[in-house]
């Protein structure tokens, strides 16, 4: 993996071994990584952060190049997650209380322009509303680099759309703000928990309900010749994962991280503090840590930390 290098240290020299936390390219994951990283540092453990793509993080975790990823989402990461966990290459730290949904989303005012929303069939008739001067008359869905099912779903459900991808979520929000200012029709790939839950009024598209056979059985669903003719899980899990090295060298920390439990509100606020309130990631992390001090303190209130055992 270009740019990613393992940090080596002898097991007995734990003070020389930093915990490396993944930084992905959406806001809540980055803010909450800085939150937990700062809490870990208070235990006397060196923290480093590593920019890494969703695609590259699995190999990096399995090779002990990074040690912790705090937001693994079912819709976009479940296959790689299961593959690496089942082979014993990475460790499942358990789910958060928050459940996730990743799906097409539009501001509420679009419903007046496209009758039938949020039903997905409305997109078959209204797609010209979402076209762009460079889309050759097709509707445009604005998305990030994380998903893998959008294209197959467009083809399976015969939607006249193309995908415009951005490198991170900030570019999506800029596009969304511009459209909302002009009350222009727009549909984006969005998710919950996210800042839009509390700061905007909008809805997810209701595609045919998710079923696991939709991903594996062509005979299932509306299009018997293709996979992916369904929507995303409406209540998918969000988990944490760790490297094997982290459990080996820092068993008390590993135990504490298993108790880290983000709620929907916690994840939404982490994003909103940056996207809406315009704080930097570090400022947002400090503010979040104050807002939720009681919760995170209970996660790390372990006897092994108090007694400094294993550290």
């Amino acid at each position: 993996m270009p740019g990613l290098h393992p940090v080596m240290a002898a097991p007995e020299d734990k003070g020389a071994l930093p915990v490396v936390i993944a930084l992905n390219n959406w806001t809540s994951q980055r803010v909450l990584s800085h939150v937990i990283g700062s809490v870990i540092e208070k235990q006397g453990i060196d923290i480093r952060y590593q920019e890494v793509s969703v695609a590259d993080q699995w190999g990096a975790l399995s090779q002990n190049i990074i040690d912790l990823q705090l937001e693994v989402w079912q819709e976009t990461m479940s296959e790689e997650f299961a593959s690496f966990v089942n082979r014993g290459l990475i460790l499942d730290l358990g789910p958060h209380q928050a459940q996730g949904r990743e799906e097409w989303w539009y501001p509420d005012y679009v419903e007046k322009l496209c009758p039938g929303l949020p039903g997905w069939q409305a997109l078959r008739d209204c797609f010209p509303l979402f076209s762009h001067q460079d889309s050759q008359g097709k509707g445009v869905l604005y998305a990030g680099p994380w998903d893998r099912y959008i294209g197959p779903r467009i083809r399976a459900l015969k939607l006249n759309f193309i995908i415009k991808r951005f490198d991170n979520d900030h570019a999506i929000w800029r596009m969304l703000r511009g459209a909302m200012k002009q009350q222009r029709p727009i549909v984006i790939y969005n998710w919950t928990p996210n800042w839009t839950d509390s700061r905007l009024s909008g809805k997810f598209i209701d595609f045919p309900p998710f079923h696991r056979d939709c991903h594996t059985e062509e005979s299932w669903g509306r299009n018997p010749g293709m996979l992916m003719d369904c929507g995303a899980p409406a209540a998918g899990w969000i988990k944490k994962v760790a490297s094997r090295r982290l459990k080996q060298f820092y068993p008390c920390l590993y135990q504490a991280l298993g108790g880290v439990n983000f709620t929907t509100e916690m994840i939404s606020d982490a994003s909103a503090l940056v996207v809406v309130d315009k704080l930097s990631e570090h400022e947002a992390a400090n503010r979040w840590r104050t807002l939720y001090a009681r919760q995170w303190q209970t996660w790390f209130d372990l006897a092994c930390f108090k007694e400094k055992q294993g550290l």
Side-chain angles (χ1 to χ4, degrees), residues 2-294:
L4 302 180
H5 304 286
V7 179
M8 303 303 294
E12 66 273 12
D13 188 13
K14 297 174 185 177
L17 181 70
V19 171
V20 184
I21 301 178
L23 291 179
N24 292 149
N25 52 1
W26 67 96
T27 302
S28 64
Q29 194 275 345
R30 299 177 68 88
V31 171
L32 293 172
S33 294
H34 285 294
V35 167
I36 298 302
S38 66
V39 174
I40 294 172
E41 283 184 316
K42 293 180 182 298
Q43 308 301 327
I45 301 172
D46 186 26
I47 291 293
R48 297 183 189 175
Y49 299 95
Q50 176 67 60
E51 300 278 351
V52 63
S53 70
V54 168
D56 287 342
Q57 69 185 0
W58 309 106
L61 281 159
S62 68
Q63 296 174 35
N64 298 315
I65 297 172
I66 59 177
D67 297 301
L68 181 63
Q69 213 290 52
L70 289 161
E71 278 191 33
V72 175
W73 291 60
Q74 180 177 349
E75 167 68 359
T76 48
M77 306 185 211
S78 59
E79 291 182 8
E80 294 86 352
F81 169 85
S83 174
F84 279 80
V85 169
N86 291 341
R87 288 182 287 161
L89 299 175
I90 63 175
L91 302 176
D92 181 355
L93 279 169
H96 297 290
Q97 179 180 326
Q99 293 183 309
R101 184 179 184 184
E102 302 175 67
E103 194 59 275
W104 300 32
W105 183 97
Y106 62 89
D108 275 346
Y109 66 81
V110 177
E111 288 186 355
K112 297 179 181 179
L113 306 172
C114 183
L117 289 175
W120 68 273
Q121 295 95 331
L123 298 175
R124 288 180 166 175
D125 297 323
C126 295
F127 71 87
L129 289 173
F130 304 99
S131 64
H132 185 272
Q133 61 183 2
D134 299 324
S135 67
Q136 299 180 332
K138 295 188 175 186
V140 180
L141 172 73
Y142 297 98
W146 320 283
D147 67 274
R148 60 167 164 266
Y149 299 139
I150 294 179
R153 183 182 301 160
I154 287 174
R155 293 187 290 273
L157 294 177
K158 300 180 180 178
L159 299 174
N160 202 10
F161 274 76
I162 63 172
I163 308 165
K164 170 63 177 177
R165 296 191 184 276
F166 297 107
D167 291 336
N168 55 57
D169 61 346
H170 292 289
I172 300 175
W173 313 141
R174 286 194 295 270
M175 184 63 65
L176 177 61
R177 286 195 190 94
M180 293 185 70
K181 185 176 182 179
Q182 302 175 20
Q183 294 288 284
R184 187 175 69 248
I186 187 171
V187 61
I188 67 172
Y189 188 80
N190 197 2
W191 53 92
T192 181
N194 201 1
W195 68 274
T196 51
D197 296 342
S198 58
R199 307 297 182 96
L200 289 182
S201 182
K203 293 185 179 71
F204 289 106
I205 297 290
D206 288 332
F207 287 106
F210 170 79
H211 192 283
R212 60 184 180 183
D213 290 347
C214 170
H215 289 202
T216 59
E217 302 291 338
E218 290 185 353
S219 60
W220 185 95
R222 291 177 169 269
N223 189 338
M226 298 187 73
L227 301 174
M228 310 310 301
D229 49 350
C230 69
W237 48 254
I238 305 174
K239 291 191 173 188
K240 307 147 292 188
V241 296
S243 68
R244 294 164 293 173
R245 176 181 68 176
L246 187 142
K247 182 178 182 181
Q248 177 186 358
F249 291 169
Y250 294 109
C252 181
L253 175 60
Y254 180 83
Q255 179 185 348
L257 291 169
V260 170
N261 188 11
F262 299 143
T263 64
T264 295
E265 184 180 27
M266 289 175 178
I267 296 176
S268 299
D269 282 346
S271 179
L273 287 167
V274 173
V275 177
V276 181
D277 298 339
K278 304 302 182 183
L279 301 181
S280 70
E281 290 177 2
H282 290 283
E283 291 169 338
N286 290 336
R287 176 62 177 153
W288 191 101
R289 201 167 56 244
T290 299
L291 287 172
Y292 294 102
R294 179 178 59 82

